[in-house]
């Protein structure tokens, strides 16, 4: 069984860094996927990172591609 996976944006913000730390500490079986226009803060818990700029036109297609690749929202039965 694959670990549950969560993707989120804003990982280079104060709240984003706090969220990463809390998720990594409490949910060991959770796979984290970060989306941001800046590199993740250091040190970073294990996380798949994708550089994306949400202000760019047409970014929705790129986000959909990333979510499909990372299997975000896909039920594993």
């Amino acid at each position: 069984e694959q670990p549950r996976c969560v993707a989120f944006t804003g990982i280079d913000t104060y709240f984003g860094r706090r969220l990463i730390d809390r998720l990594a500490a409490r949910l060991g079986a959770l796979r984290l996927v970060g989306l941001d226009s800046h590199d993740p803060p250091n040190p970073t818990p294990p996380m798949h990172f994708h550089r994306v700029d949400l202000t760019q036109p047409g970014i929705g297609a790129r986000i959909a591609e990333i979510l499909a690749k990372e299997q975000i929202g896909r039920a594993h039965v």
Side-chain angles (χ1 to χ4, degrees), residues 34-53:
L35 308 167
D36 205 316
S37 59
H38 298 78
D39 289 334
N42 290 322
T44 304
M47 171 179 31
H48 294 165
F49 173 72
H50 298 273
R51 183 183 294 257
V52 295
D53 183 348

Side-chain angles (χ1 to χ4, degrees), residues 2 5 13 15 19 21-22 28 30 36 38-40 55 64 71 75:
Q2 290 186 345
C5 186
T13 66
F15 291 110
L19 178 62
D21 292 342
R22 286 182 179 227
L30 185 68
D36 205 316
H38 298 78
D39 289 334
T55 65
Q71 299 181 342

Side-chain angles (χ1 to χ4, degrees), residues 6-70:
V6 104
F8 51 97
T9 63
I11 63 173
D12 194 37
T13 66
Y14 171 79
F15 291 110
R17 288 187 298 268
R18 301 271 305 186
L19 178 62
I20 290 168
D21 292 342
R22 286 182 179 227
L23 288 173
R26 294 184 183 187
L27 303 171
L30 185 68
R31 193 166 54 87
L32 304 176
V33 175
L35 308 167
D36 205 316
S37 59
H38 298 78
D39 289 334
N42 290 322
T44 304
M47 171 179 31
H48 294 165
F49 173 72
H50 298 273
R51 183 183 294 257
V52 295
D53 183 348
L54 298 178
T55 65
Q56 295 297 309
I59 195 65
R62 175 75 176 121
I63 299 292
E65 179 183 296
I66 292 168
L67 297 181
K69 176 184 174 189
E70 296 287 352

